[in-house]
Amino acid sequence: MSLLVIGIALWALAHLFKRLAPDARAKLGTPGRGIVAVLILLGLAFIVLGYRAAPFVSVWTPPSFMVHINNLLMLIAVFVYGMSATTGRLRGKMRHPQLTAVKIWAVAHLLVNGDLASIILFGSMLAWAVAEVVIINKNSDWDRPEPGNAKKDVLLVVITLVMFAVITGIHAWLGVWPFPG
């Protein structure tokens, strides 16, 4: 479990570094991006290894219908995440689509995972995403981008469905079938 906690701490601190210590981050210059990227990847590796190795400690048993809610929320999370890259009409509808997607992803997984490692992982990621949004909103203004072509939103829907299928496939490959039998 400690590897999981170390990974989460590395992930969060590396992401928050430029917001909490902007002068220190600026002093690192362009090479600082590489350092931060390595810390994020190291944190992610620790998270995966720590989560997979964590003992199963049941805290609560989610009701089976939560799987359907999780799947719907995950589809929404993939779509919202994609909004950050769209150049369609939806561009600019939301200030923090990636962080909002992380929050939706975390809540969705908290609904279907009642073990301690999952609560630590998904709860921490939810807290991190909320903290990021609060800090960004407090420290910077936002210039809403102009909406683009609606055809790009149709493309976003198609990409969302493909990515959802890929994510489902990865879960199945890892031994977690995301759809009830």
Side-chain angles (χ1 to χ4, degrees):
M1 197 77 75
S2 49
L3 195 58
L4 173 62
V5 172
I6 291 168
I8 292 167
L10 270 173
W11 169 276
L13 291 173
H15 275 92
L16 288 166
F17 178 54
K18 74 178 181 181
R19 307 215 189 283
L20 297 177
D23 294 337
R25 172 59 189 92
K27 284 181 187 176
L28 293 175
T30 303
R33 287 182 174 174
I35 294 167
V36 171
V38 166
L39 290 173
I40 289 169
L41 289 173
L42 189 60
L44 185 58
F46 284 6
I47 288 168
V48 170
L49 295 172
Y51 183 74
R52 302 268 304 169
F56 185 84
V57 178
S58 181
V59 175
W60 73 292
T61 303
S64 60
F65 71 86
M66 286 294 185
V67 173
H68 302 293
I69 295 170
N70 171 74
N71 290 337
L72 176 62
L73 288 173
M74 284 308 302
L75 191 59
I76 293 168
V78 173
F79 180 82
V80 169
Y81 190 90
M83 284 175 62
S84 67
T86 189
T87 56
R89 303 278 317 153
L90 293 173
R91 178 177 57 188
K93 293 290 183 191
M94 184 180 296
R95 182 168 182 187
H96 306 288
Q98 290 180 346
L99 291 167
T100 301
V102 169
K103 291 185 275 186
I104 296 167
W105 167 82
V107 168
H109 283 76
L110 285 168
L111 293 176
V112 293
N113 294 288
D115 63 291
L116 184 59
S118 293
I119 293 169
I120 290 171
L121 172 59
F122 301 116
S124 296
M125 288 298 179
L126 177 60
W128 163 75
V130 168
E132 282 275 359
V133 168
V134 168
I135 291 168
I136 292 168
N137 287 348
K138 181 180 174 189
N139 295 325
S140 66
D141 293 327
W142 182 48
D143 294 324
R144 184 181 302 272
E146 291 295 320
N149 188 327
K151 290 179 183 178
K152 297 294 185 171
D153 294 334
V154 173
L155 181 61
L156 174 59
V157 170
V158 171
I159 292 170
T160 295
L161 294 172
V162 170
M163 288 307 301
F164 185 75
V166 168
I167 292 167
T168 299
I170 292 170
H171 277 75
W173 177 68
L174 292 172
V176 180
W177 183 243
F179 302 105

